[in-house]
Amino acid sequence: MSRLASELQRLRRSPWEVLWSALVSCGLVLFSQLAVAIVPRLLPSISLLAMLPVAGLVFLATIVVGRFWRRFIGVAASAPLFVLFNVLFLWGVYVFVIRRDTSSLLDMLINAECALLLWGLYRILSGDPGIVAYETSFLEEAGCKDFVDAICSSEKHPSLSRVRHCNCCKVNVRGYDHHCPAFGNCIGQKNHRLFMALLTGFVVAESTYTMCSTKYISRCINSGTIRTENPLSLNMVIGTMLFSVLQVLWQVVFLIWHVYGICFNIKTDEWINWKKYPEFQMKEQPQSDFEVKFVNPYDKGMLCNIREFLKPK
């Protein structure tokens, strides 16, 4: 049984609840995209660069409004479905509006990128991040009250090396980096490479979409047909372009952090919560109290760290 099916069974969600969650996620995507598309309609005289922060504020406002609305109607949305519907929405705007002004090669490229993103979302959502399960007898032999206690003292138990507990999924994951709500799964040893590929794919696909939409807008301006274009279509192209740029800005920062973590063999959870794990603590005793400093025992040099990431043991 896939992780998605087991998660639905654990939550005991009926098909109707899943359907309502999908409808709410789809409605939130439409609401947020239309709200961003209103920005160029209301502020046609300012530049696209000046529209960017305004579009960001509008998008955040729609997310906050959507959160309150979901609580009011009592239906939870799904972050992975929100991501999925956003990909489908941008792909739809490209196919029905922008595509006619795109070269055949670029058209093949962006369609392939969108298809690969959908395939990657399915794989990472349904895949195993590296869940580790131990029998109760192991805890008794280790003298620990629960797995979290055993993980925090993993120096005494080599089999628990770099196994961390995810509070969202309530599971123990080897090589745990973080829980990714957007992809609906933990990121661990078995899917970290897929996560990096998918994150890079989003940056590349959104950058390609931004380039195609920019060419479409420039063509409308240069040819003088901007007034004859369908206002809804033109505003939708500008809105989705602004949305794509906003996504690329934070995703690039996120990608840089993960590349840094790979190069120095440190996980996000370990960096944030290093004081929970004794192997990262180096105690020095100055004149008075103990001073705890961070030390990374897993850093073996950049080349070895990258090799270990690409071919984990």
Side-chain angles (χ1 to χ4, degrees), residues 28-261:
L28 185 57
V29 168
L30 293 175
F31 175 56
S32 59
Q33 291 289 352
L34 290 174
V36 173
I38 291 176
V39 173
R41 180 69 175 177
L42 297 179
L43 303 171
S45 59
I46 67 175
S47 65
L48 293 176
L49 186 61
M51 287 184 189
L52 197 59
V54 179
L57 292 174
V58 170
F59 182 76
L60 288 176
T62 58
I63 297 300
V64 173
V65 171
R67 185 182 295 273
F68 281 111
W69 175 249
R70 295 198 311 269
R71 290 182 179 179
F72 177 74
I73 63 177
V75 178
S78 169
L81 287 176
F82 182 79
V83 174
L84 171 64
F85 288 132
N86 268 306
V87 173
L88 294 176
F89 187 88
L90 265 65
W91 198 359
V93 173
Y94 168 77
V95 169
F96 293 106
V97 183
I98 303 174
R99 188 178 188 178
R100 65 177 181 267
D101 295 313
T102 307
S103 64
S104 300
L105 182 60
L106 196 56
D107 178 59
M108 291 175 58
L109 179 64
I110 194 169
N111 281 299
E113 289 171 352
C114 291
L116 287 173
L117 285 182
L118 297 181
W119 177 80
L121 281 171
Y122 168 75
R123 286 295 304 274
I124 203 166
L125 179 62
S126 60
D128 175 21
I131 295 176
V132 177
Y134 289 93
E135 301 293 336
T136 309
S137 57
F138 174 82
L139 295 177
E140 296 176 355
E141 294 175 4
C144 301
K145 59 182 180 180
D146 52 31
F147 285 120
V148 178
D149 185 32
I151 290 170
C152 290
S153 57
S154 59
E155 284 183 319
K156 303 176 183 177
H157 315 291
S159 63
L160 289 177
S161 176
R162 304 198 92 170
V163 175
R164 312 299 181 197
H165 183 75
C166 176
N167 292 321
C168 297
C169 298
K170 309 300 180 185
V171 294
N172 307 301
V173 181
R174 188 175 302 280
Y176 176 76
D177 186 87
H178 69 287
H179 180 85
C180 183
F183 295 158
N185 205 345
C186 301
I187 306 303
Q189 181 174 291
K190 289 187 177 181
N191 66 355
H192 200 170
R193 293 177 300 282
L194 175 60
F195 169 80
M196 290 297 293
L198 194 55
L199 182 58
T200 305
F202 268 97
V203 172
V204 172
E206 288 161 347
S207 300
T208 307
Y209 181 87
T210 301
M211 181 175 63
C212 294
S213 56
T214 302
K215 285 185 177 181
Y216 173 85
I217 297 168
S218 300
R219 194 270 302 170
C220 292
I221 295 175
N222 295 333
S223 63
T225 60
I226 192 167
R227 296 185 180 276
T228 61
E229 288 289 328
N230 186 336
L232 179 60
S233 299
L234 183 60
N235 291 332
M236 198 65 68
V237 171
I238 297 175
T240 51
M241 184 199 68
L242 295 172
F243 172 79
S244 298
V245 173
L246 291 170
Q247 293 296 305
V248 169
L249 289 177
W250 76 264
Q251 287 170 357
V252 166
V253 175
F254 200 46
L255 182 61
I256 291 172
W257 158 250
H258 280 281
V259 171
Y260 170 86

